[in-house]
Amino acid sequence: MKEIIFDINSNEEIWELIDKSVNNIFIHKFWPTEVIHWWKTDLKFETGLVLKDSLVRGMEFDLQTDLNGLKQILEMNTNQLRIYQFDKPVPDTLRLEHLPEDSKFKILKQNGLRHFFWVDFEFMTVSSFDDEFLKAIERNPLFSERIKQRNRGL
């Protein structure tokens, strides 16, 4: 898996980078709020239980969605995201925190991983098994100079 790193100015720019042909989105350790505070929400459980107007904080979870869901999440302006694009839904048994670091991306590729986007405030890392996908980003007029500047600075 190859990667490129560059500065990002907004979550709208992130949307420009997403491969629109890959609809299975997995966000690892999604944190819907930037600060730790109590907020009110309804919690729906698989058993059918619904807890109305519950107060929660420090909520972090793995999330599977599609491109439409990702677009809504990006509109939240979250500063840190681990976005994975898969060819198929992530199976119940695949837990990223249990994968050995030295073979993590090999295992994820076997499970259909195409691209990985790590958004860390103003920095963006795009990793992909598809060299042409990365080359298209490098040629994109919006990002090409930022990628060159970042590579010169490393």
Side-chain angles (χ1 to χ4, degrees):
M1 182 168 246
K2 294 183 181 177
E3 69 180 29
I4 52 177
I5 302 169
F6 52 98
D7 295 355
I8 197 84
N9 294 328
S10 70
N11 282 10
E12 291 83 24
E13 289 183 354
I14 298 166
W15 180 250
E16 296 302 314
L17 297 167
I18 299 297
D19 185 342
K20 308 306 187 294
S21 71
V22 181
N23 198 36
N24 291 293
I25 306 297
F26 173 71
I27 300 177
H28 184 55
K29 294 187 175 187
F30 179 57
W31 190 282
T33 60
E34 292 301 314
V35 295
I36 297 180
H37 66 277
W38 293 100
W39 52 288
K40 192 180 285 191
T41 189
D42 295 342
L43 295 174
K44 296 179 181 182
F45 295 89
E46 190 175 30
T47 62
L49 173 67
V50 178
L51 297 175
K52 295 267 186 199
D53 296 327
S54 299
L55 292 173
V56 298
R57 73 173 175 189
M59 194 172 200
E60 176 184 277
F61 49 89
D62 289 343
L63 173 69
Q64 287 199 76
T65 189
D66 58 13
L67 289 168
N68 291 328
L70 176 61
K71 188 162 181 64
Q72 292 175 353
I73 288 166
L74 291 174
E75 289 168 2
M76 294 173 63
N77 285 322
T78 304
N79 290 325
Q80 291 183 311
L81 288 169
R82 296 170 193 88
I83 304 166
Y84 296 79
Q85 281 194 285
F86 281 86
D87 287 332
K88 56 189 176 187
V90 174
D92 292 344
T93 56
L94 185 63
R95 301 208 34 213
L96 271 61
E97 54 275 350
H98 294 172
L99 297 177
E101 272 307 310
D102 59 338
S103 58
K104 178 171 117 177
F105 282 110
K106 180 180 177 187
I107 293 167
L108 292 175
K109 183 178 183 181
Q110 292 169 345
N111 281 276
L113 178 64
R114 296 276 302 279
H115 316 294
F116 171 61
F117 304 85
W118 168 226
V119 181
D120 190 16
F121 293 88
E122 70 272 13
F123 301 106
M124 177 85 170
T125 303
V126 181
S127 305
S128 182
F129 293 106
D130 182 348
D131 288 341
E132 286 305 312
F133 179 76
L134 293 177
K135 287 178 185 174
I137 294 171
E138 289 173 332
R139 288 189 302 266
N140 183 313
L142 186 61
F143 304 109
S144 62
E145 189 57 37
R146 292 185 215 167
I147 293 168
K148 289 175 190 170
Q149 287 175 350
R150 181 79 176 147
N151 287 335
R152 282 192 295 261
L154 291 179

